[in-house]
Amino acid sequence: TKISLAKNSEGLKTSETTFAIEIKRPKSATDLKLLIKYDERYKNGTEHTVFVLGRYATAKEVIAKTSVFIPKGNLFGIDLTFLLTIPDMGSCSSELKIKERMRKDYLIDFNGKWFDDKFLKFLGTYQDRTSSVKLFYKLKSLVSSNFFGDVSSVIRYSRDASELKVDLKVDYQNNTY
């Protein structure tokens, strides 16, 4: 049986904390492990990563990793990633990136893959053109997957003192709704 907790730092650039517990008993075929690792890195922005490993039998490990990166700059940006690996099932992953191209104008990119290799991809733009007298939001998107056809959409929302308007246009399999 082993239990450990460690924290390492390299000045202000990086920090790492690890917790691990491991139990092995050859007589009873017990082979358990839990490892949790947290990293912080500060280079061109802030990145936080959490890694979790759980072993429930010899050569049977579930692994999960998630990461958040926020780049430096005046405009908003965030990158999120997630990975889950399970024995005999493969892996599941997702990635989301949001970048502010100019003030209140965003690019959104999502990719996800399930254990059975089904995937979903979302690519879109979001605009906020709100003024002191009128709210105006617009989302354009394209969704593609290997289990349904491509879907594109445009959603507009506007509101002022006298009018509320929602406009939704969806294209799917050469049909417009």
Side-chain angles (χ1 to χ4, degrees), residues 3 8 11 13 17 19 25 28 43 46-47 86-87 97 104 108 111 115 133 135-136 142 146 153 164 173 177:
I3 299 176
N8 299 323
K13 297 279 186 191
T17 304
F19 170 79
R25 299 202 52 180
S28 64
K43 183 178 180 183
T46 305
E47 183 175 14
I86 299 175
K97 293 183 179 190
K104 295 186 175 185
I108 304 164
N111 289 298
F115 296 103
V133 293
L135 295 175
F136 182 80
L142 174 63
N146 58 354
S153 67
L164 169 69
Q173 294 184 344
Y177 302 96

Side-chain angles (χ1 to χ4, degrees), residues 89-125:
M89 289 184 65
S91 64
C92 167
S93 63
S94 64
E95 181 179 22
L96 173 66
K97 293 183 179 190
I98 301 173
K99 302 233 184 284
E100 190 173 19
R101 298 185 296 186
M102 66 173 89
R103 196 172 180 310
K104 295 186 175 185
D105 192 336
Y106 301 89
L107 179 63
I108 304 164
D109 187 1
F110 173 82
N111 289 298
K113 183 180 86 63
W114 196 243
F115 296 103
D116 59 0
D117 288 331
K118 294 217 183 319
F119 71 87
L120 178 72
K121 181 172 178 68
F122 174 95
L123 186 59
T125 59

Side-chain angles (χ1 to χ4, degrees), residues 38-58:
Y38 172 72
D39 285 331
E40 278 183 282
R41 301 198 187 282
Y42 301 98
K43 183 178 180 183
N44 300 325
T46 305
E47 183 175 14
H48 302 274
T49 303
V50 176
F51 176 83
V52 178
L53 179 142
R55 183 171 59 221
Y56 56 92
T58 302

